[in-house]
Amino acid sequence: MLMKCQDATYRDFQAKLVPNIPKETIIGVRTPDMRAIAKKLSGTEKEAEFLSILPHRYYEENLIHFFIVSMIKDFDKCIAAVERFLPYVDCWPVSDQSSPRVFKKNHGALLPFVKKWIASSHVYTARFGIRMLMNEFLDGDFKSEYLELVASRKGDDYYLKMMEAWFFATAIAKQYDASIACIEQHRLEPWTHNKAIQKALESFRVPDGHKEYLKTLKVPAKA
């Protein structure tokens, strides 16, 4: 099914975006086609069979796996499927493209898992946890302590630091007073601090006045 949707040019493009996985594991299937396959498998007998096969061979199989998981309507079943799959996530697109719909109505039950994921030593589990915190907890359910969950998560991995910067740039747009205090107090490491400011400056959701002040808060990068 996947091979019928293969686009060699698109495969080469994708390989450049995810240089940390072998090119031969990328087929070259566009996201709408993968989502269509996931939707076709969802709720069928083949869904359980497919989800039970781990690890998958191809990058696209991992994406389809997470797309299917995101459609599971029962919270406990969805969480169990997410927890089973996260150790096999090996690149940022797989970590970033799944947002389980059932999470939105179950924030109280979700939060302990988000905290656990953020604390994980597995880079893409931690990245997924930070993204869930960003997606689900920066609006009505926001608490300033959530900023510290991310600020205290140290590490040298590029993809993890980029997610931390993305989180804070989004927090600056949505929860300015609390998040700007973290920036002023230099709670982030210099590279992440400056990258968060850069992303906030690029955001249409951050007012010009806030952007002018943010420019004054950049710090020298570590040597």
Side-chain angles (χ1 to χ4, degrees):
M1 190 181 298
L2 283 169
M3 292 302 178
K4 291 181 180 178
C5 301
Q6 184 179 39
D7 181 330
T9 301
Y10 187 67
R11 178 198 60 201
D12 294 342
F13 170 72
Q14 286 295 108
K16 293 177 182 178
L17 294 179
V18 282
N20 63 305
I21 64 173
K23 184 176 179 179
E24 58 267 24
T25 66
I26 301 173
I27 298 171
V29 181
R30 295 180 182 275
T31 299
D33 292 326
M34 288 188 285
R35 288 193 181 277
I37 292 171
K39 189 173 182 180
K40 187 174 181 179
L41 289 175
S42 180
T44 69
E45 291 182 2
K46 290 185 178 181
E47 173 193 310
E49 179 183 351
F50 178 75
L51 295 182
S52 71
I53 302 171
L54 287 172
H56 293 298
R57 179 179 179 182
Y58 293 108
Y59 162 75
E60 286 86 356
E61 289 177 311
N62 281 332
L63 282 164
I64 290 170
H65 189 118
F66 230 173
F67 290 154
I68 292 173
V69 168
S70 74
M71 290 186 279
I72 296 175
K73 296 179 181 179
D74 181 88
F75 177 78
D76 291 334
K77 289 181 180 178
C78 184
I79 281 288
V82 168
E83 294 246 277
R84 183 168 182 267
F85 182 59
L86 281 175
Y88 297 95
V89 176
D90 58 1
C91 61
W92 68 265
V94 176
S95 175
D96 288 8
Q97 288 208 41
S98 178
S99 297
R101 301 168 188 172
V102 73
F103 283 4
K104 292 195 176 299
K105 295 183 180 180
N106 293 276
H107 282 183
L110 174 63
L111 186 58
F113 290 98
V114 169
K115 290 180 177 180
K116 182 177 72 169
W117 296 333
I118 292 174
S120 174
S121 60
H122 180 242
V123 165
Y124 297 106
T125 295
R127 183 178 170 108
F128 178 75
I130 294 171
R131 190 170 67 84
M132 289 302 98
L133 190 68
M134 179 179 72
N135 287 1
E136 304 292 341
F137 295 93
L138 285 182
D139 293 301
D141 287 349
F142 174 74
K143 293 181 181 179
S144 58
E145 64 194 59
Y146 298 157
L147 301 174
E148 184 59 25
L149 286 176
V150 178
S152 61
R153 182 63 171 85
K154 307 302 181 184
D156 294 328
D157 185 89
Y158 171 81
Y159 295 105
L160 184 58
K161 292 192 295 183
M162 281 295 292
M163 179 54 70
E164 291 169 353
W166 183 11
F167 173 89
F168 266 91
T170 305
I172 287 169
K174 291 188 170 187
Q175 301 291 342
Y176 179 77
D177 291 340
S179 54
I180 201 65
C182 286
I183 299 297
E184 291 170 336
Q185 295 163 15
H186 300 153
R187 294 292 299 117
L188 302 174
E189 295 180 347
W191 187 94
T192 311
H193 174 104
N194 288 337
K195 183 62 68 173
I197 290 175
Q198 176 190 324
K199 286 182 169 293
L201 294 177
E202 293 169 352
S203 173
F204 68 89
R205 295 182 295 179
V206 177
D208 290 342
H210 290 174
K211 289 181 178 181
E212 290 304 312
Y213 179 54
L214 282 165
K215 290 176 184 178
T216 71
L217 297 178
K218 290 185 178 181
V219 297
K222 278 187 177 179

